Amino acid sequence: MKTTKALTKRINNDTLKEAFQKRIRADFFKTEQGNEPARDFLKALPLVDKKSVGADIMTVEMLWPIGYPKVRKLDSDLWEVRSDISDKRICRVMFTVEGKKMILLHAFIKKTQKTPKDDLELGKARRDLVLGGKK
């Protein structure tokens, strides 16, 4: 009987570990100078907003692939995490996926209905750097 209980407990623990493992791991894009622009942007947000965006990024890590409304595909190998933050503002974090990594490329507060062209182009350029022309 002890063996059965121990085996059942081990199976349950293994199942729980698997259920709570990240499918992909978030990492930040680094410039040639070693800066991490998306991290810097997110660190400058108020604490309540940091927590909200962080929770949304963690949701993507745990449930990838995940779709709308949390994640929207912008272009080939370019997605954005959509986070509603305080004062009815919307934070977007652009990312690409390379293997088991979710590379956070660019973050900004969205002020218009359409994603601003400059932000989209910056996300694409960083994606191309990360993927090395493999897109």
Side-chain angles (χ1 to χ4, degrees):
M1 189 68 176
K2 272 188 172 180
T3 306
T4 306
K5 282 184 180 179
L7 183 59
T8 302
K9 186 175 181 178
R10 182 173 174 205
I11 290 170
N12 288 340
N13 285 340
D14 290 346
T15 303
L16 281 173
K17 282 181 190 174
E18 189 175 313
F20 289 103
Q21 273 190 328
K22 293 179 179 180
R23 294 183 179 188
I24 59 175
R25 185 176 62 78
D27 203 358
F28 289 91
F29 167 80
K30 281 188 179 175
T31 65
E32 288 181 10
Q33 297 79 22
N35 299 327
E36 296 173 322
R39 182 191 302 264
D40 294 341
F41 177 87
L42 296 173
K43 283 172 97 174
L45 292 173
L47 182 60
V48 67
D49 295 342
K50 278 189 239 187
K51 287 181 178 183
S52 179
V53 175
D56 290 338
I57 290 169
M58 190 168 98
T59 298
V60 176
E61 288 179 302
M62 302 297 281
L63 300 176
W64 183 255
I66 184 174
Y68 192 81
K70 193 57 58 198
V71 172
R72 183 175 77 127
K73 189 168 189 172
L74 298 172
D75 194 51
S76 174
D77 296 321
L78 183 65
W79 291 268
E80 71 177 0
V81 177
R82 305 158 57 89
S83 295
D84 294 325
I85 57 176
S86 61
D87 299 328
K88 297 183 182 180
R89 296 180 304 153
I90 301 168
C91 182
R92 298 291 189 248
V93 181
M94 291 182 182
F95 70 95
T96 193
V97 175
E98 182 180 43
K100 293 277 188 182
K101 281 200 235 175
M102 165 190 191
I103 313 295
L104 307 179
L105 304 168
H106 178 54
F108 62 100
I109 302 294
K110 194 168 176 187
K111 297 176 181 154
T112 62
Q113 187 69 22
K114 193 171 181 181
T115 301
K117 185 179 179 186
D118 291 347
D119 290 306
L120 187 57
E121 293 304 317
L122 183 57
K124 287 179 182 181
R126 289 178 178 167
R127 173 211 49 205
D128 293 346
L129 287 171
V130 167
L131 299 181
K134 295 184 277 187
K135 75 167 190 108

